[in-house]
Amino acid sequence: MAYVLLLTAAMMWSFVGVLVKYASMMVDSSTITVCRFLFGVVFLGLLIKINKQEFNLGWKNKWVWIGAIGKCVNYIFENIAISIGFCVWEYY
């Protein structure tokens, strides 16, 4: 089962670029960034609820905020790069 979950995670990760590129034709990169983050939080919350685990969120933990800000910045730059598109630097 662990191999199936690992393969599923790898496949889902590989489709992110394609899906973001497709979504960038409809909405701006900020909306894509917020949606990716919020859908991830909702999915993880549902997964915790399905597994009947305790859900603790430490709002005062600075590392949670640093991680959240870092992830949002990562999404913003990734979405901007995908919306810019392919650029060939080696031909210049």
Side-chain angles (χ1 to χ4, degrees):
M1 184 65 178
Y3 289 116
V4 173
L5 292 175
L6 183 63
L7 183 63
T8 303
M11 292 300 294
M12 288 172 30
W13 189 264
S14 66
F15 287 120
V16 168
V18 174
L19 294 174
V20 168
K21 183 68 174 174
Y22 185 71
S24 68
M25 292 187 274
M26 294 178 266
V27 295
D28 62 328
S29 62
S30 299
T31 306
I32 296 170
T33 300
V34 169
C35 288
R36 285 178 71 187
F37 187 75
L38 288 178
F39 290 155
V41 168
V42 169
F43 177 75
L44 288 176
L46 289 173
L47 190 63
I48 288 171
K49 187 169 178 81
I50 288 170
N51 289 334
K52 297 179 176 126
Q53 295 177 350
E54 184 181 342
F55 183 69
N56 279 348
L57 183 61
W59 292 100
K60 294 183 180 183
N61 189 345
K62 72 174 183 175
W63 292 110
V64 170
W65 289 105
I66 290 172
I69 291 168
K71 196 66 173 171
C72 285
V73 169
N74 174 32
Y75 284 157
I76 288 169
F77 285 130
E78 180 182 348
N79 294 335
I80 289 171
I82 289 174
S83 67
I84 290 172
F86 181 69
C87 182
V88 182
W89 290 101
E90 63 248 13
Y91 292 123
Y92 295 111

